[in-house]
């Protein structure tokens, strides 16, 4: 199962119909996160048909305050509906770049490629990868060759405005969410480059 929550839904969780770039980045960072590298998502291929499921669950209404140890979630929760995806299957195409100022003299791209491939093959992760919500655990493995998207050959269809990621590393600017016009082209979500989404030549 998966739920990539649309931010405009304030009360109840409603998923995008396709994995978002930020969720894909989160999956890769669960396998390998290092300050010296930045992941870039290029494509997300949707291998399974889009199927929905709906259920209700308990959620807390507010966050616990730091330093307050008498917080009781049972007294601050409500039942909310979730519209999620089921039986999902994706192939993520991505790369990474080295972050200037974060690399050491012994760091290079091949070192991190080998590290990622080794961890992926062995099923290792820094934390359990998940699909939008932590309770929706993901099984991550190397993609087989020749896999075809579910909508292969069916052309291009719009997905609307999709959440790209939070931008937190632009000097002098606060953290902000960024969005892009998303399309599923023959079953593949092609993610525009970061500089194109942010504009102004931001790397």
């Amino acid at each position: 199962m998966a739920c990539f929550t649309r931010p405009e839904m304030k009360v109840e969780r409603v998923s995008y119909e396709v994995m978002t770039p930020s969720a894909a980045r989160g999956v890769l960072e669960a396998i390998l996160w290092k300050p010296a590298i930045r992941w870039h998502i290029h494509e997300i291929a949707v291998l399974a048909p889009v199927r929905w499921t709906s259920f209700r669950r308990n959620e807390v209404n507010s966050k616990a305050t730091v330093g307050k140890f008498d917080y009781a979630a049972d007294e601050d929760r409500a039942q909310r509906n979730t519209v999620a995806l089921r039986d999902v299957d994706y192939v993520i195409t991505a790369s990474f770049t080295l972050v200037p100022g974060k690399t050491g003299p012994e760091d290079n791209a091949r070192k991190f490629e080998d590290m990622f491939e080794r961890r992926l093959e062995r099923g290792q992760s820094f934390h359990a990868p998940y699909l939008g919500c932590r309770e929706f655990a993901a099984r991550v493995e190397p993609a087989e060759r020749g896999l075809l998207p579910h909508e292969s050959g069916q052309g291009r269809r719009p997905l609307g405005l999709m959440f790209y990621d939070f931008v937190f590393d632009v000097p002098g600017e606060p953290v902000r969410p960024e969005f892009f016009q998303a399309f599923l082209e023959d079953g593949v979500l092609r993610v525009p480059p970061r500089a194109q989404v942010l504009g102004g030549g931001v790397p």
Side-chain angles (χ1 to χ4, degrees):
M1 295 180 64
C3 184
F4 311 110
T5 306
R6 303 185 68 99
E8 67 267 28
M9 303 300 179
K10 299 295 185 182
V11 177
E12 298 183 336
R13 290 183 183 270
V14 177
S15 178
Y16 285 104
E17 61 181 283
V18 177
M19 172 187 266
T20 62
S22 65
R25 175 181 59 79
V27 168
L28 297 180
E29 288 182 346
I31 307 301
L32 179 65
W33 179 86
K34 295 289 183 182
I37 65 174
R38 173 187 290 156
W39 285 103
H40 304 279
I41 309 301
H42 303 299
E43 295 182 351
I44 300 171
V46 183
L47 302 186
V50 177
R51 295 191 176 100
W52 301 93
T53 185
S54 180
F55 52 87
R56 298 183 70 83
R57 63 180 182 174
N58 292 326
E59 294 189 8
V60 294
N61 294 316
S62 58
K63 294 181 180 179
T65 304
V66 176
K68 182 180 179 182
F69 300 103
D70 59 347
Y71 177 77
D74 288 347
E75 301 172 4
D76 187 34
R77 66 182 180 182
Q79 274 206 340
R80 293 189 174 91
N81 194 53
T82 295
V83 180
L85 301 166
R86 63 183 180 90
D87 305 323
V88 298
D89 195 3
Y90 304 106
V91 171
I92 300 169
T93 303
S95 64
F96 63 80
T97 53
L98 300 179
V99 179
K102 299 289 187 179
T103 55
E106 73 286 354
D107 290 334
N108 58 73
R110 188 60 210 168
K111 167 188 171 181
F112 293 113
E113 287 176 7
D114 290 341
M115 194 180 300
F116 177 77
E117 290 171 359
R118 186 169 57 251
R119 293 178 64 84
L120 184 62
E121 289 283 355
R122 295 176 179 175
Q124 296 175 315
S125 61
F126 289 103
H127 62 80
Y130 56 90
L131 299 172
C133 298
R134 289 191 181 273
E135 58 265 44
F136 301 148
R139 187 178 75 244
V140 186
E141 56 193 24
E144 300 175 6
R145 293 186 179 276
L147 294 174
L148 292 177
H150 173 68
E151 296 186 15
S152 179
Q154 296 188 25
R156 189 175 193 245
R157 67 182 180 90
L159 298 174
L161 201 63
M162 177 174 280
F163 177 60
Y164 180 78
D165 213 330
F166 286 106
V167 178
F168 51 83
D169 57 353
V170 178
E173 294 189 14
V175 176
R176 69 179 190 272
E178 289 289 344
F179 299 83
F180 70 105
Q181 289 291 341
F183 297 87
L184 203 61
E185 302 181 47
D186 293 327
V188 178
L189 171 66
R190 292 182 170 83
V191 182
R194 185 173 186 264
Q196 180 179 326
V197 175
L198 271 62
V202 176

